[in-house]
Amino acid sequence: NEYQDLEEKVSDFLNGDTEYNNIPVAQAFEVLQERNRIPLYPKSLNEQVKGGAIRGQNILIFARPEMGKTLFAINLIGGFLHNGYRVLYVGNEDPISAITPRVITRLAEMSYDACAENPEEAEARIQKRGYKNLTLKETYPGTWHEIRKTIEKVEPDVLVIDQLRHLYCGNLSKVEQMERVALEARAAAKRYGILCIGITQAGDSADGKIFLDQGDVDFSNTGMQGAMDLMIGIGADEQMQLRNHRMLSLCKNKLSGIRAQIPVQYNIGINKVEGI
């Protein structure tokens, strides 16, 4: 079956190697230059990661339910598209029919009602801002074999998976599954030269918590955390939620080494995240 086919290939996929020798200094540092990084939004986040992520890196977004993980991802997607990057969004939680209007409001910077009442204006705005470079794929719940086939077809610059925890991995414990999907995300990022962004849940320990840490990732000890280059925990207490405020905790940050906490404002009407 499909998963057995994946299992037969996964060892080579995760352990593929390439040899490099005597790389020139200029070439070694070129990829790290800000002009070669993929910016992350909001700008207050981008400032803490030296101007963005590089291809081959693996990012995790995690938070409790209803804390705005998908909204945060949609804001990132809007920035990627606006900057001319091709994005593949793989969704196995919310239906694509629910995600598409949210992406449109973010790109158009128009409310749901405004987009519905003025579809021509919304269409003109989103086409100008890169909407044609977005591919949305719905899975039930999806496998890495399926995702790799789509990557090879679409050739994205950025892959967003919402959510990692739901991907099918056969007869594994939840902890083993979380490590497997994280390792495969890392392998895909390196193999295809793309930026990979995964979304997952935070556990009960994150309830009402403002500052999240690595231990708050649900059903993961160290396996998933070890496969990530940047971990963004989204937290808030009750008062912050009432004001649509959130706190981003960069609890792992190999992009710049800065363990920052970044307060942000959610504009739910247009699915936008802004610094405070």
Side-chain angles (χ1 to χ4, degrees), residues 28-44:
F29 280 84
E30 176 65 20
V31 69
L32 301 177
Q33 299 302 312
E34 188 168 341
R35 62 180 175 272
N36 291 320
R37 290 177 179 260
I38 299 175
L40 306 178
Y41 291 93
K43 290 183 179 179
S44 53

Side-chain angles (χ1 to χ4, degrees), residues 240-254:
M240 291 174 67
Q241 292 183 60
L242 290 173
R243 299 192 301 272
N244 289 326
H245 288 180
R246 301 290 188 272
M247 185 66 70
L248 309 181
S249 295
L250 308 189
C251 50
K252 182 177 182 181
N253 182 5
K254 293 173 69 175

